[in-house]
PDB file of all heavy atoms in Angstrom:
ATOM      1  N   VAL A   1       0.825  -1.176   0.006  1.00  0.00           N
ATOM      2  CA  VAL A   1       0.019  -0.039   0.003  1.00  0.00           C
ATOM      3  C   VAL A   1       0.869   1.272   0.005  1.00  0.00           C
ATOM      4  O   VAL A   1       0.612   2.202  -0.732  1.00  0.00           O
ATOM      5  CB  VAL A   1      -0.943   0.006   1.212  1.00  0.00           C
ATOM      6  CG1 VAL A   1      -1.626   1.310   1.334  1.00  0.00           C
ATOM      7  CG2 VAL A   1      -1.971  -1.142   1.163  1.00  0.00           C
ATOM      8  N   SER A   2       1.922   1.257   0.830  1.00  0.00           N
ATOM      9  CA  SER A   2       2.824   2.383   0.858  1.00  0.00           C
ATOM     10  C   SER A   2       3.516   2.645  -0.464  1.00  0.00           C
ATOM     11  O   SER A   2       3.592   3.774  -0.912  1.00  0.00           O
ATOM     12  CB  SER A   2       3.881   2.153   1.942  1.00  0.00           C
ATOM     13  OG  SER A   2       4.813   3.185   1.972  1.00  0.00           O
ATOM     14  N   ALA A   3       3.859   1.558  -1.144  1.00  0.00           N
ATOM     15  CA  ALA A   3       4.517   1.660  -2.457  1.00  0.00           C
ATOM     16  C   ALA A   3       3.530   2.234  -3.460  1.00  0.00           C
ATOM     17  O   ALA A   3       3.861   3.111  -4.273  1.00  0.00           O
ATOM     18  CB  ALA A   3       4.975   0.253  -2.949  1.00  0.00           C
ATOM     19  N   ALA A   4       2.272   1.797  -3.434  1.00  0.00           N
ATOM     20  CA  ALA A   4       1.244   2.321  -4.338  1.00  0.00           C
ATOM     21  C   ALA A   4       0.983   3.790  -4.117  1.00  0.00           C
ATOM     22  O   ALA A   4       0.869   4.578  -5.089  1.00  0.00           O
ATOM     23  CB  ALA A   4      -0.026   1.520  -4.186  1.00  0.00           C
ATOM     24  N   LYS A   5       0.962   4.182  -2.870  1.00  0.00           N
ATOM     25  CA  LYS A   5       0.761   5.618  -2.579  1.00  0.00           C
ATOM     26  C   LYS A   5       1.811   6.484  -3.082  1.00  0.00           C
ATOM     27  O   LYS A   5       1.588   7.631  -3.645  1.00  0.00           O
ATOM     28  CB  LYS A   5       0.599   5.805  -1.064  1.00  0.00           C
ATOM     29  CG  LYS A   5      -0.727   5.276  -0.497  1.00  0.00           C
ATOM     30  CD  LYS A   5      -0.767   5.526   1.026  1.00  0.00           C
ATOM     31  CE  LYS A   5      -2.123   5.005   1.613  1.00  0.00           C
ATOM     32  NZ  LYS A   5      -2.207   5.147   3.043  1.00  0.00           N
ATOM     33  N   ASN A   6       3.069   6.002  -3.033  1.00  0.00           N
ATOM     34  CA  ASN A   6       4.242   6.796  -3.530  1.00  0.00           C
ATOM     35  C   ASN A   6       4.204   6.905  -5.058  1.00  0.00           C
ATOM     36  O   ASN A   6       4.753   7.826  -5.627  1.00  0.00           O
ATOM     37  CB  ASN A   6       5.533   6.072  -3.058  1.00  0.00           C
ATOM     38  CG  ASN A   6       5.757   6.282  -1.572  1.00  0.00           C
ATOM     39  OD1 ASN A   6       5.233   7.223  -0.922  1.00  0.00           O
ATOM     40  ND2 ASN A   6       6.536   5.335  -0.997  1.00  0.00           N
ATOM     41  N   LEU A   7       3.600   5.931  -5.746  1.00  0.00           N
ATOM     42  CA  LEU A   7       3.545   5.971  -7.176  1.00  0.00           C
ATOM     43  C   LEU A   7       2.612   7.000  -7.723  1.00  0.00           C
ATOM     44  O   LEU A   7       2.741   7.518  -8.828  1.00  0.00           O
ATOM     45  CB  LEU A   7       3.142   4.604  -7.755  1.00  0.00           C
ATOM     46  CG  LEU A   7       4.218   3.478  -7.554  1.00  0.00           C
ATOM     47  CD1 LEU A   7       3.634   2.096  -7.992  1.00  0.00           C
ATOM     48  CD2 LEU A   7       5.478   3.792  -8.314  1.00  0.00           C
ATOM     49  N   GLU A   8       1.514   7.277  -6.930  1.00  0.00           N
ATOM     50  CA  GLU A   8       0.467   8.196  -7.305  1.00  0.00           C
ATOM     51  C   GLU A   8      -0.049   8.031  -8.748  1.00  0.00           C
ATOM     52  O   GLU A   8      -0.039   8.922  -9.579  1.00  0.00           O
ATOM     53  CB  GLU A   8       1.042   9.665  -7.207  1.00  0.00           C
ATOM     54  CG  GLU A   8       1.419  10.044  -5.757  1.00  0.00           C
ATOM     55  CD  GLU A   8       1.954  11.451  -5.644  1.00  0.00           C
ATOM     56  OE1 GLU A   8       2.266  12.045  -6.703  1.00  0.00           O
ATOM     57  OE2 GLU A   8       2.049  12.009  -4.524  1.00  0.00           O
ATOM     58  N   SER A   9      -0.465   6.802  -8.982  1.00  0.00           N
ATOM     59  CA  SER A   9      -0.969   6.407 -10.307  1.00  0.00           C
ATOM     60  C   SER A   9      -2.490   6.179 -10.184  1.00  0.00           C
ATOM     61  O   SER A   9      -2.969   5.968  -9.118  1.00  0.00           O
ATOM     62  CB  SER A   9      -0.269   5.167 -10.769  1.00  0.00           C
ATOM     63  OG  SER A   9      -0.784   4.717 -11.979  1.00  0.00           O
ATOM     64  N   SER A  10      -3.142   6.195 -11.311  1.00  0.00           N
ATOM     65  CA  SER A  10      -4.612   5.881 -11.332  1.00  0.00           C
ATOM     66  C   SER A  10      -4.826   4.393 -11.463  1.00  0.00           C
ATOM     67  O   SER A  10      -5.950   3.895 -11.152  1.00  0.00           O
ATOM     68  CB  SER A  10      -5.283   6.611 -12.498  1.00  0.00           C
ATOM     69  OG  SER A  10      -4.737   6.223 -13.739  1.00  0.00           O
ATOM     70  N   VAL A  11      -3.783   3.652 -11.945  1.00  0.00           N
ATOM     71  CA  VAL A  11      -3.869   2.218 -12.064  1.00  0.00           C
ATOM     72  C   VAL A  11      -2.642   1.595 -11.530  1.00  0.00           C
ATOM     73  O   VAL A  11      -1.469   2.110 -11.792  1.00  0.00           O
ATOM     74  CB  VAL A  11      -4.052   1.793 -13.574  1.00  0.00           C
ATOM     75  CG1 VAL A  11      -4.100   0.300 -13.699  1.00  0.00           C
ATOM     76  CG2 VAL A  11      -5.358   2.395 -14.102  1.00  0.00           C
ATOM     77  N   TYR A  12      -2.725   0.462 -10.874  1.00  0.00           N
ATOM     78  CA  TYR A  12      -1.588  -0.216 -10.258  1.00  0.00           C
ATOM     79  C   TYR A  12      -1.562  -1.689 -10.768  1.00  0.00           C
ATOM     80  O   TYR A  12      -2.603  -2.293 -11.001  1.00  0.00           O
ATOM     81  CB  TYR A  12      -1.580  -0.168  -8.737  1.00  0.00           C
ATOM     82  CG  TYR A  12      -1.758   1.205  -8.200  1.00  0.00           C
ATOM     83  CD1 TYR A  12      -3.034   1.701  -7.847  1.00  0.00           C
ATOM     84  CD2 TYR A  12      -0.690   2.008  -7.992  1.00  0.00           C
ATOM     85  CE1 TYR A  12      -3.195   3.009  -7.325  1.00  0.00           C
ATOM     86  CE2 TYR A  12      -0.854   3.295  -7.493  1.00  0.00           C
ATOM     87  CZ  TYR A  12      -2.102   3.789  -7.187  1.00  0.00           C
ATOM     88  OH  TYR A  12      -2.229   5.059  -6.717  1.00  0.00           O
ATOM     89  N   VAL A  13      -0.343  -2.188 -10.875  1.00  0.00           N
ATOM     90  CA  VAL A  13      -0.211  -3.635 -11.179  1.00  0.00           C
ATOM     91  C   VAL A  13       0.577  -4.299 -10.042  1.00  0.00           C
ATOM     92  O   VAL A  13       1.657  -3.855  -9.680  1.00  0.00           O
ATOM     93  CB  VAL A  13       0.588  -3.808 -12.517  1.00  0.00           C
ATOM     94  CG1 VAL A  13       0.572  -5.266 -12.875  1.00  0.00           C
ATOM     95  CG2 VAL A  13      -0.062  -3.015 -13.630  1.00  0.00           C
ATOM     96  N   VAL A  14      -0.089  -5.297  -9.469  1.00  0.00           N
ATOM     97  CA  VAL A  14       0.523  -6.035  -8.349  1.00  0.00           C
ATOM     98  C   VAL A  14       1.014  -7.409  -8.878  1.00  0.00           C
ATOM     99  O   VAL A  14       0.197  -8.185  -9.458  1.00  0.00           O
ATOM    100  CB  VAL A  14      -0.514  -6.261  -7.197  1.00  0.00           C
ATOM    101  CG1 VAL A  14       0.180  -6.965  -6.028  1.00  0.00           C
ATOM    102  CG2 VAL A  14      -1.130  -4.941  -6.760  1.00  0.00           C
ATOM    103  N   LYS A  15       2.278  -7.641  -8.781  1.00  0.00           N
ATOM    104  CA  LYS A  15       2.899  -8.840  -9.431  1.00  0.00           C
ATOM    105  C   LYS A  15       3.609  -9.718  -8.411  1.00  0.00           C
ATOM    106  O   LYS A  15       4.478  -9.256  -7.652  1.00  0.00           O
ATOM    107  CB  LYS A  15       3.911  -8.342 -10.452  1.00  0.00           C
ATOM    108  CG  LYS A  15       3.359  -7.539 -11.618  1.00  0.00           C
ATOM    109  CD  LYS A  15       4.452  -7.253 -12.664  1.00  0.00           C
ATOM    110  CE  LYS A  15       3.868  -6.579 -13.892  1.00  0.00           C
ATOM    111  NZ  LYS A  15       4.915  -6.408 -14.882  1.00  0.00           N
ATOM    112  N   SER A  16       3.237 -10.986  -8.397  1.00  0.00           N
ATOM    113  CA  SER A  16       3.981 -11.936  -7.651  1.00  0.00           C
ATOM    114  C   SER A  16       5.401 -12.095  -8.192  1.00  0.00           C
ATOM    115  O   SER A  16       5.595 -12.110  -9.391  1.00  0.00           O
ATOM    116  CB  SER A  16       3.330 -13.295  -7.692  1.00  0.00           C
ATOM    117  OG  SER A  16       1.996 -13.250  -7.181  1.00  0.00           O
ATOM    118  N   GLN A  17       6.385 -12.173  -7.292  1.00  0.00           N
ATOM    119  CA  GLN A  17       7.795 -12.332  -7.725  1.00  0.00           C
ATOM    120  C   GLN A  17       8.286 -13.722  -7.457  1.00  0.00           C
ATOM    121  O   GLN A  17       8.510 -14.080  -6.290  1.00  0.00           O
ATOM    122  CB  GLN A  17       8.626 -11.292  -7.050  1.00  0.00           C
ATOM    123  CG  GLN A  17       8.268  -9.874  -7.352  1.00  0.00           C
ATOM    124  CD  GLN A  17       8.548  -9.491  -8.827  1.00  0.00           C
ATOM    125  OE1 GLN A  17       9.646  -9.251  -9.229  1.00  0.00           O
ATOM    126  NE2 GLN A  17       7.440  -9.365  -9.570  1.00  0.00           N
ATOM    127  N   ILE A  18       8.322 -14.572  -8.479  1.00  0.00           N
ATOM    128  CA  ILE A  18       8.930 -15.862  -8.371  1.00  0.00           C
ATOM    129  C   ILE A  18       9.783 -16.094  -9.615  1.00  0.00           C
ATOM    130  O   ILE A  18       9.651 -15.421 -10.646  1.00  0.00           O
ATOM    131  CB  ILE A  18       7.856 -17.022  -8.282  1.00  0.00           C
ATOM    132  CG1 ILE A  18       6.932 -16.953  -9.496  1.00  0.00           C
ATOM    133  CG2 ILE A  18       7.059 -16.870  -6.991  1.00  0.00           C
ATOM    134  CD1 ILE A  18       5.976 -18.133  -9.550  1.00  0.00           C
ATOM    135  N   HIS A  19      10.654 -17.103  -9.541  1.00  0.00           N
ATOM    136  CA  HIS A  19      11.486 -17.419 -10.699  1.00  0.00           C
ATOM    137  C   HIS A  19      10.772 -18.348 -11.623  1.00  0.00           C
ATOM    138  O   HIS A  19      11.148 -19.525 -11.854  1.00  0.00           O
ATOM    139  CB  HIS A  19      12.847 -18.045 -10.230  1.00  0.00           C
ATOM    140  CG  HIS A  19      13.751 -17.037  -9.598  1.00  0.00           C
ATOM    141  ND1 HIS A  19      14.967 -17.400  -9.057  1.00  0.00           N
ATOM    142  CD2 HIS A  19      13.629 -15.686  -9.354  1.00  0.00           C
ATOM    143  CE1 HIS A  19      15.596 -16.344  -8.571  1.00  0.00           C
ATOM    144  NE2 HIS A  19      14.784 -15.336  -8.720  1.00  0.00           N
ATOM    145  N   ALA A  20       9.690 -17.906 -12.177  1.00  0.00           N
ATOM    146  CA  ALA A  20       8.917 -18.708 -13.166  1.00  0.00           C
ATOM    147  C   ALA A  20       8.017 -17.825 -14.000  1.00  0.00           C
ATOM    148  O   ALA A  20       7.557 -16.789 -13.473  1.00  0.00           O
ATOM    149  CB  ALA A  20       8.112 -19.784 -12.427  1.00  0.00           C
ATOM    150  N   GLY A  21       7.770 -18.194 -15.202  1.00  0.00           N
ATOM    151  CA  GLY A  21       6.883 -17.407 -16.052  1.00  0.00           C
ATOM    152  C   GLY A  21       5.492 -17.897 -15.937  1.00  0.00           C
ATOM    153  O   GLY A  21       5.146 -18.810 -15.202  1.00  0.00           O
ATOM    154  N   GLY A  22       4.602 -17.228 -16.710  1.00  0.00           N
ATOM    155  CA  GLY A  22       3.162 -17.594 -16.684  1.00  0.00           C
ATOM    156  C   GLY A  22       2.469 -17.202 -15.407  1.00  0.00           C
ATOM    157  O   GLY A  22       1.407 -17.757 -15.081  1.00  0.00           O
ATOM    158  N   ARG A  23       2.935 -16.169 -14.725  1.00  0.00           N
ATOM    159  CA  ARG A  23       2.334 -15.795 -13.442  1.00  0.00           C
ATOM    160  C   ARG A  23       0.902 -15.262 -13.559  1.00  0.00           C
ATOM    161  O   ARG A  23       0.061 -15.580 -12.766  1.00  0.00           O
ATOM    162  CB  ARG A  23       3.200 -14.760 -12.754  1.00  0.00           C
ATOM    163  CG  ARG A  23       4.635 -15.171 -12.346  1.00  0.00           C
ATOM    164  CD  ARG A  23       5.493 -14.052 -11.995  1.00  0.00           C
ATOM    165  NE  ARG A  23       5.719 -13.189 -13.116  1.00  0.00           N
ATOM    166  CZ  ARG A  23       6.170 -11.948 -13.021  1.00  0.00           C
ATOM    167  NH1 ARG A  23       6.467 -11.405 -11.842  1.00  0.00           N
ATOM    168  NH2 ARG A  23       6.384 -11.220 -14.102  1.00  0.00           N
ATOM    169  N   GLY A  24       0.652 -14.494 -14.630  1.00  0.00           N
ATOM    170  CA  GLY A  24      -0.610 -13.950 -14.770  1.00  0.00           C
ATOM    171  C   GLY A  24      -1.717 -14.963 -14.959  1.00  0.00           C
ATOM    172  O   GLY A  24      -2.845 -14.819 -14.508  1.00  0.00           O
ATOM    173  N   ALA A  25      -1.385 -16.061 -15.708  1.00  0.00           N
ATOM    174  CA  ALA A  25      -2.341 -17.092 -15.955  1.00  0.00           C
ATOM    175  C   ALA A  25      -2.287 -18.197 -14.851  1.00  0.00           C
ATOM    176  O   ALA A  25      -2.983 -19.182 -14.953  1.00  0.00           O
ATOM    177  CB  ALA A  25      -2.079 -17.732 -17.324  1.00  0.00           C
ATOM    178  N   GLY A  26      -1.402 -17.996 -13.871  1.00  0.00           N
ATOM    179  CA  GLY A  26      -1.286 -18.992 -12.827  1.00  0.00           C
ATOM    180  C   GLY A  26      -2.455 -19.043 -11.871  1.00  0.00           C
ATOM    181  O   GLY A  26      -3.286 -18.178 -11.902  1.00  0.00           O
ATOM    182  N   GLN A  27      -2.403 -20.042 -10.929  1.00  0.00           N
ATOM    183  CA  GLN A  27      -3.455 -20.129  -9.903  1.00  0.00           C
ATOM    184  C   GLN A  27      -2.752 -20.362  -8.583  1.00  0.00           C
ATOM    185  O   GLN A  27      -1.749 -21.044  -8.464  1.00  0.00           O
ATOM    186  CB  GLN A  27      -4.303 -21.342 -10.240  1.00  0.00           C
ATOM    187  CG  GLN A  27      -5.200 -21.166 -11.487  1.00  0.00           C
ATOM    188  CD  GLN A  27      -6.301 -20.201 -11.336  1.00  0.00           C
ATOM    189  OE1 GLN A  27      -7.044 -20.240 -10.366  1.00  0.00           O
ATOM    190  NE2 GLN A  27      -6.469 -19.301 -12.278  1.00  0.00           N
ATOM    191  N   PHE A  28      -3.349 -19.729  -7.523  1.00  0.00           N
ATOM    192  CA  PHE A  28      -2.804 -19.959  -6.165  1.00  0.00           C
ATOM    193  C   PHE A  28      -3.447 -21.220  -5.600  1.00  0.00           C
ATOM    194  O   PHE A  28      -4.609 -21.480  -5.721  1.00  0.00           O
ATOM    195  CB  PHE A  28      -3.091 -18.756  -5.360  1.00  0.00           C
ATOM    196  CG  PHE A  28      -2.213 -17.592  -5.575  1.00  0.00           C
ATOM    197  CD1 PHE A  28      -2.613 -16.598  -6.446  1.00  0.00           C
ATOM    198  CD2 PHE A  28      -0.960 -17.496  -4.964  1.00  0.00           C
ATOM    199  CE1 PHE A  28      -1.753 -15.506  -6.737  1.00  0.00           C
ATOM    200  CE2 PHE A  28      -0.104 -16.444  -5.227  1.00  0.00           C
ATOM    201  CZ  PHE A  28      -0.489 -15.440  -6.092  1.00  0.00           C
ATOM    202  N   LEU A  29      -2.559 -22.023  -4.940  1.00  0.00           N
ATOM    203  CA  LEU A  29      -3.001 -23.232  -4.339  1.00  0.00           C
ATOM    204  C   LEU A  29      -3.941 -22.953  -3.202  1.00  0.00           C
ATOM    205  O   LEU A  29      -3.745 -22.083  -2.377  1.00  0.00           O
ATOM    206  CB  LEU A  29      -1.748 -23.993  -3.845  1.00  0.00           C
ATOM    207  CG  LEU A  29      -1.988 -25.442  -3.392  1.00  0.00           C
ATOM    208  CD1 LEU A  29      -2.379 -26.291  -4.551  1.00  0.00           C
ATOM    209  CD2 LEU A  29      -0.691 -26.025  -2.784  1.00  0.00           C
ATOM    210  N   ASP A  30      -5.081 -23.716  -3.208  1.00  0.00           N
ATOM    211  CA  ASP A  30      -6.094 -23.531  -2.115  1.00  0.00           C
ATOM    212  C   ASP A  30      -6.690 -22.149  -2.084  1.00  0.00           C
ATOM    213  O   ASP A  30      -7.247 -21.731  -1.031  1.00  0.00           O
ATOM    214  CB  ASP A  30      -5.538 -23.898  -0.793  1.00  0.00           C
ATOM    215  CG  ASP A  30      -4.994 -25.316  -0.714  1.00  0.00           C
ATOM    216  OD1 ASP A  30      -5.598 -26.215  -1.402  1.00  0.00           O
ATOM    217  OD2 ASP A  30      -4.009 -25.598  -0.030  1.00  0.00           O
ATOM    218  N   SER A  31      -6.706 -21.433  -3.209  1.00  0.00           N
ATOM    219  CA  SER A  31      -7.318 -20.094  -3.231  1.00  0.00           C
ATOM    220  C   SER A  31      -8.787 -20.171  -3.505  1.00  0.00           C
ATOM    221  O   SER A  31      -9.242 -21.070  -4.233  1.00  0.00           O
ATOM    222  CB  SER A  31      -6.636 -19.252  -4.323  1.00  0.00           C
ATOM    223  OG  SER A  31      -7.258 -18.018  -4.463  1.00  0.00           O
ATOM    224  N   GLU A  32      -9.528 -19.290  -2.915  1.00  0.00           N
ATOM    225  CA  GLU A  32     -11.003 -19.266  -3.166  1.00  0.00           C
ATOM    226  C   GLU A  32     -11.339 -18.460  -4.401  1.00  0.00           C
ATOM    227  O   GLU A  32     -12.515 -18.402  -4.799  1.00  0.00           O
ATOM    228  CB  GLU A  32     -11.699 -18.618  -1.957  1.00  0.00           C
ATOM    229  CG  GLU A  32     -11.503 -19.426  -0.654  1.00  0.00           C
ATOM    230  CD  GLU A  32     -12.240 -18.780   0.532  1.00  0.00           C
ATOM    231  OE1 GLU A  32     -12.703 -17.685   0.314  1.00  0.00           O
ATOM    232  OE2 GLU A  32     -12.161 -19.385   1.660  1.00  0.00           O
ATOM    233  N   THR A  33     -10.376 -17.804  -5.031  1.00  0.00           N
ATOM    234  CA  THR A  33     -10.562 -17.083  -6.258  1.00  0.00           C
ATOM    235  C   THR A  33      -9.783 -17.708  -7.416  1.00  0.00           C
ATOM    236  O   THR A  33      -8.876 -18.510  -7.153  1.00  0.00           O
ATOM    237  CB  THR A  33     -10.167 -15.629  -6.071  1.00  0.00           C
ATOM    238  OG1 THR A  33      -8.752 -15.486  -6.083  1.00  0.00           O
ATOM    239  CG2 THR A  33     -10.731 -15.012  -4.873  1.00  0.00           C
ATOM    240  N   ASP A  34     -10.041 -17.320  -8.644  1.00  0.00           N
ATOM    241  CA  ASP A  34      -9.335 -17.804  -9.746  1.00  0.00           C
ATOM    242  C   ASP A  34      -8.299 -16.777 -10.265  1.00  0.00           C
ATOM    243  O   ASP A  34      -7.880 -16.862 -11.442  1.00  0.00           O
ATOM    244  CB  ASP A  34     -10.229 -18.271 -10.870  1.00  0.00           C
ATOM    245  CG  ASP A  34     -11.187 -17.165 -11.361  1.00  0.00           C
ATOM    246  OD1 ASP A  34     -11.143 -16.058 -10.763  1.00  0.00           O
ATOM    247  OD2 ASP A  34     -11.961 -17.394 -12.336  1.00  0.00           O
ATOM    248  N   LYS A  35      -8.088 -15.724  -9.478  1.00  0.00           N
ATOM    249  CA  LYS A  35      -7.166 -14.700  -9.874  1.00  0.00           C
ATOM    250  C   LYS A  35      -5.699 -15.202  -9.886  1.00  0.00           C
ATOM    251  O   LYS A  35      -5.336 -15.962  -9.012  1.00  0.00           O
ATOM    252  CB  LYS A  35      -7.283 -13.541  -8.944  1.00  0.00           C
ATOM    253  CG  LYS A  35      -8.686 -12.829  -8.985  1.00  0.00           C
ATOM    254  CD  LYS A  35      -8.710 -11.673  -8.002  1.00  0.00           C
ATOM    255  CE  LYS A  35     -10.124 -11.021  -8.005  1.00  0.00           C
ATOM    256  NZ  LYS A  35     -10.184  -9.978  -7.003  1.00  0.00           N
ATOM    257  N   GLY A  36      -4.963 -14.719 -10.848  1.00  0.00           N
ATOM    258  CA  GLY A  36      -3.622 -15.206 -11.036  1.00  0.00           C
ATOM    259  C   GLY A  36      -2.594 -14.336 -10.197  1.00  0.00           C
ATOM    260  O   GLY A  36      -2.938 -13.603  -9.240  1.00  0.00           O
ATOM    261  N   GLY A  37      -1.322 -14.477 -10.586  1.00  0.00           N
ATOM    262  CA  GLY A  37      -0.219 -13.843  -9.898  1.00  0.00           C
ATOM    263  C   GLY A  37       0.153 -12.459 -10.289  1.00  0.00           C
ATOM    264  O   GLY A  37       1.039 -11.834  -9.789  1.00  0.00           O
ATOM    265  N   VAL A  38      -0.618 -11.948 -11.310  1.00  0.00           N
ATOM    266  CA  VAL A  38      -0.453 -10.517 -11.789  1.00  0.00           C
ATOM    267  C   VAL A  38      -1.818  -9.941 -11.870  1.00  0.00           C
ATOM    268  O   VAL A  38      -2.683 -10.412 -12.617  1.00  0.00           O
ATOM    269  CB  VAL A  38       0.282 -10.512 -13.168  1.00  0.00           C
ATOM    270  CG1 VAL A  38       0.362  -9.023 -13.633  1.00  0.00           C
ATOM    271  CG2 VAL A  38       1.670 -11.103 -13.075  1.00  0.00           C
ATOM    272  N   ARG A  39      -2.068  -8.822 -11.178  1.00  0.00           N
ATOM    273  CA  ARG A  39      -3.385  -8.249 -11.096  1.00  0.00           C
ATOM    274  C   ARG A  39      -3.307  -6.699 -11.353  1.00  0.00           C
ATOM    275  O   ARG A  39      -2.482  -6.032 -10.786  1.00  0.00           O
ATOM    276  CB  ARG A  39      -4.031  -8.513  -9.782  1.00  0.00           C
ATOM    277  CG  ARG A  39      -4.104 -10.017  -9.488  1.00  0.00           C
ATOM    278  CD  ARG A  39      -4.717 -10.302  -8.113  1.00  0.00           C
ATOM    279  NE  ARG A  39      -4.590 -11.725  -7.827  1.00  0.00           N
ATOM    280  CZ  ARG A  39      -4.994 -12.245  -6.691  1.00  0.00           C
ATOM    281  NH1 ARG A  39      -5.581 -11.499  -5.761  1.00  0.00           N
ATOM    282  NH2 ARG A  39      -4.861 -13.553  -6.436  1.00  0.00           N
ATOM    283  N   VAL A  40      -4.273  -6.197 -12.148  1.00  0.00           N
ATOM    284  CA  VAL A  40      -4.392  -4.783 -12.370  1.00  0.00           C
ATOM    285  C   VAL A  40      -5.511  -4.265 -11.485  1.00  0.00           C
ATOM    286  O   VAL A  40      -6.629  -4.768 -11.541  1.00  0.00           O
ATOM    287  CB  VAL A  40      -4.722  -4.522 -13.877  1.00  0.00           C
ATOM    288  CG1 VAL A  40      -4.866  -3.049 -14.117  1.00  0.00           C
ATOM    289  CG2 VAL A  40      -3.646  -5.091 -14.767  1.00  0.00           C
ATOM    290  N   VAL A  41      -5.177  -3.274 -10.687  1.00  0.00           N
ATOM    291  CA  VAL A  41      -6.151  -2.788  -9.659  1.00  0.00           C
ATOM    292  C   VAL A  41      -6.158  -1.212  -9.715  1.00  0.00           C
ATOM    293  O   VAL A  41      -5.238  -0.617 -10.281  1.00  0.00           O
ATOM    294  CB  VAL A  41      -5.867  -3.234  -8.239  1.00  0.00           C
ATOM    295  CG1 VAL A  41      -5.946  -4.774  -8.183  1.00  0.00           C
ATOM    296  CG2 VAL A  41      -4.464  -2.792  -7.803  1.00  0.00           C
ATOM    297  N   LYS A  42      -7.158  -0.643  -9.055  1.00  0.00           N
ATOM    298  CA  LYS A  42      -7.246   0.825  -9.094  1.00  0.00           C
ATOM    299  C   LYS A  42      -7.257   1.494  -7.762  1.00  0.00           C
ATOM    300  O   LYS A  42      -7.041   2.711  -7.647  1.00  0.00           O
ATOM    301  CB  LYS A  42      -8.510   1.217  -9.865  1.00  0.00           C
ATOM    302  CG  LYS A  42      -8.518   0.811 -11.350  1.00  0.00           C
ATOM    303  CD  LYS A  42      -9.719   1.330 -12.051  1.00  0.00           C
ATOM    304  CE  LYS A  42      -9.642   0.991 -13.576  1.00  0.00           C
ATOM    305  NZ  LYS A  42     -10.859   1.508 -14.278  1.00  0.00           N
ATOM    306  N   THR A  43      -7.523   0.767  -6.695  1.00  0.00           N
ATOM    307  CA  THR A  43      -7.675   1.380  -5.368  1.00  0.00           C
ATOM    308  C   THR A  43      -6.668   0.791  -4.387  1.00  0.00           C
ATOM    309  O   THR A  43      -6.151  -0.313  -4.599  1.00  0.00           O
ATOM    310  CB  THR A  43      -9.108   1.165  -4.826  1.00  0.00           C
ATOM    311  OG1 THR A  43      -9.251  -0.215  -4.539  1.00  0.00           O
ATOM    312  CG2 THR A  43     -10.088   1.653  -5.775  1.00  0.00           C
ATOM    313  N   MET A  44      -6.448   1.521  -3.256  1.00  0.00           N
ATOM    314  CA  MET A  44      -5.521   1.033  -2.247  1.00  0.00           C
ATOM    315  C   MET A  44      -6.049  -0.234  -1.583  1.00  0.00           C
ATOM    316  O   MET A  44      -5.286  -1.108  -1.231  1.00  0.00           O
ATOM    317  CB  MET A  44      -5.321   2.111  -1.183  1.00  0.00           C
ATOM    318  CG  MET A  44      -4.619   3.313  -1.678  1.00  0.00           C
ATOM    319  SD  MET A  44      -2.941   2.976  -2.302  1.00  0.00           S
ATOM    320  CE  MET A  44      -2.916   3.954  -3.802  1.00  0.00           C
ATOM    321  N   SER A  45      -7.377  -0.337  -1.419  1.00  0.00           N
ATOM    322  CA  SER A  45      -7.928  -1.532  -0.828  1.00  0.00           C
ATOM    323  C   SER A  45      -7.678  -2.744  -1.702  1.00  0.00           C
ATOM    324  O   SER A  45      -7.463  -3.829  -1.230  1.00  0.00           O
ATOM    325  CB  SER A  45      -9.439  -1.302  -0.552  1.00  0.00           C
ATOM    326  OG  SER A  45     -10.135  -1.073  -1.770  1.00  0.00           O
TER     327      SER A  45
END
């Protein structure tokens, strides 16, 4: 959140950092959502 506030952008991209590709289309183990490891968001929440 602090990093996003310092960027002062209207759109933010939150990216998982692992040594593997395909993060955006990936899936989190035991997750209740189907969202991947790269997400485009607009608010601090």
Side-chain angles (χ1 to χ4, degrees):
V1 171
S2 177
K5 288 180 178 178
N6 290 334
L7 293 174
E8 297 181 345
S9 177
S10 59
V11 177
Y12 307 95
V13 186
V14 183
K15 298 184 172 184
S16 300
Q17 299 293 285
I18 59 172
H19 288 179
R23 295 167 296 163
Q27 295 287 313
F28 283 94
L29 191 64
D30 300 326
S31 174
E32 296 179 357
T33 73
D34 58 357
K35 296 178 181 178
V38 177
R39 303 178 189 178
V40 179
V41 299
K42 294 184 177 181
T43 66
M44 294 299 137
S45 61

